[in-house]
Amino acid sequence: MNDKERYLTVALTKGRLANRTMELFERIGVTMDEMRDKDTRKLIFVNEEQKLRFFLAKGPDVPTYVEYGAADIGVVGSDIIMEEKRHVYDVLDLGFGRCRMCVAGPERAADLLQHREMIRVATKYPNIARDYFYNGKQQTVDIIKLNGSVELGPIVGLSDVIVDIVETGSTLRENGLKVLEEVCPLSAHMIVNQVSMQMETERIRSMIQKIRMELAG
Ligand code: PRP
């Protein structure tokens, strides 16, 4: 490898997606031994040989790092890409982290949805919810932004429904809520900074190609 080659920086979403992403990178020959240490509080990991740096960030911050060029590449859920609307290239669906963005609530809320009533919608994803109700369904709703445990909304009477991620469905089930409408399917995607794509075309393209081939099995 050329000594003058600069480091390519990859922003990963902390948690489950990061583990799946590192497994994928290992399969294409990129190893980051330090990252395997589950107890580490380190946020950034360097592979000197391959001139790669990986760092861990909160999901919604990943597209921000990539848009500003602090990371050349990011791996993040498509829910966050849709919500954050950052100027980045969405280059590859990685196929893991599959789940659905849904409208959910108690059974009785189905009527409110059907009759396009003015309802309250609690969500961590106000842009996705607005786009779905206002542009998709032409339904005026009141959107209330929450930061987590959104399922509480209809239970404690803050909202009629929620717009949230459903993976196994157990959070909904255990709280007496149901999927009422499906907004869209979701999965982990790879995003790329627009300038990096021009400046480092070859390295980034070859990385995408290796991953694509690995995913195709
Ligand atoms: C996500 C999501 C749901 C849950 C869905 O929450 O917001 O609450 O997972 O998964 P399930 O269908 O498999 O039950 P997360 O765990 O990220 O926590 P949060 O609600 O505090 O954001």
Side-chain angles (χ1 to χ4, degrees), residues 10-15 17-19 21-22 25 35 45 53-59 62 71 73-76:
V10 184
L12 303 181
T13 302
K14 249 186 198 171
L17 278 194
N19 297 337
T21 311
M22 285 321 298
F25 273 100
M35 245 176 152
F45 306 89
R53 294 197 302 178
F54 285 78
F55 69 79
L56 297 167
K58 288 266 188 195
V62 169
I73 293 166
V75 174
V76 67

Side-chain angles (χ1 to χ4, degrees), residues 16 124 147-151 164-172:
R16 254 182 304 170
K124 279 190 286 190
N147 293 298
S149 303
V150 176
E151 290 82 359
D164 200 19
I165 288 176
V166 179
E167 193 181 353
T168 61
S170 50
T171 312
L172 290 182

Side-chain angles (χ1 to χ4, degrees), residues 12-206:
L12 303 181
T13 302
K14 249 186 198 171
R16 254 182 304 170
L17 278 194
N19 297 337
R20 296 290 301 269
T21 311
M22 285 321 298
E23 277 168 35
L24 180 61
F25 273 100
E26 281 182 17
R27 275 156 44 203
I28 64 158
V30 176
T31 47
M32 211 64 62
D33 291 335
E34 286 176 308
M35 245 176 152
R36 289 213 187 106
D37 174 5
K38 297 272 177 279
D39 298 326
T40 186
R41 302 292 293 169
K42 249 180 125 162
L43 294 171
I44 187 149
F45 306 89
V46 184
N47 182 322
E48 305 280 356
E49 209 179 304
Q50 292 167 315
K51 294 272 193 279
L52 285 171
R53 294 197 302 178
F54 285 78
F55 69 79
L56 297 167
K58 288 266 188 195
D61 295 337
V62 169
T64 312
Y65 285 108
V66 175
E67 181 182 285
Y68 283 91
D72 302 286
I73 293 166
V75 174
V76 67
S78 49
D79 52 323
I80 287 166
I81 300 173
M82 286 165 68
E83 181 62 26
E84 297 296 319
K85 299 178 194 283
R86 291 284 178 182
H87 294 98
V88 295
Y89 293 133
D90 183 350
V91 295
L92 190 59
D93 181 351
L94 298 173
F96 54 79
R98 281 194 192 283
C99 51
R100 303 178 290 157
M101 184 65 70
C102 293
V103 180
E107 189 101 61
R108 64 175 184 283
D111 268 356
L112 302 173
L113 286 169
Q114 208 178 350
H115 299 123
R116 313 231 157 131
E117 305 261 352
M118 171 72 190
I119 51 171
R120 283 184 168 180
V121 181
T123 186
K124 279 190 286 190
Y125 302 92
N127 288 328
I128 294 177
R130 196 171 300 114
D131 189 52
Y132 178 73
F133 281 104
Y134 282 69
N135 302 333
K137 297 193 67 191
Q138 319 271 310
Q139 180 174 358
T140 307
V141 297
D142 188 4
I143 292 166
I144 304 166
K145 164 90 202 272
L146 289 179
N147 293 298
S149 303
V150 176
E151 290 82 359
L152 276 172
I155 298 172
V156 300
L158 175 70
S159 69
D160 300 292
V161 296
I162 61 173
V163 167
D164 200 19
I165 288 176
V166 179
E167 193 181 353
T168 61
S170 50
T171 312
L172 290 182
R173 244 185 334 269
E174 286 177 31
N175 290 290
L177 306 174
K178 290 205 148 135
V179 170
L180 301 171
E181 288 174 1
E182 186 171 323
V183 178
C184 61
L186 302 167
S187 57
H189 280 222
M190 179 175 277
I191 55 175
V192 176
N193 171 269
Q194 296 183 340
V195 176
S196 307
M197 198 64 181
Q198 314 307 323
M199 306 296 284
E200 297 286 341
T201 314
E202 217 169 291
R203 286 176 80 194
I204 295 176
R205 282 237 176 109
S206 119

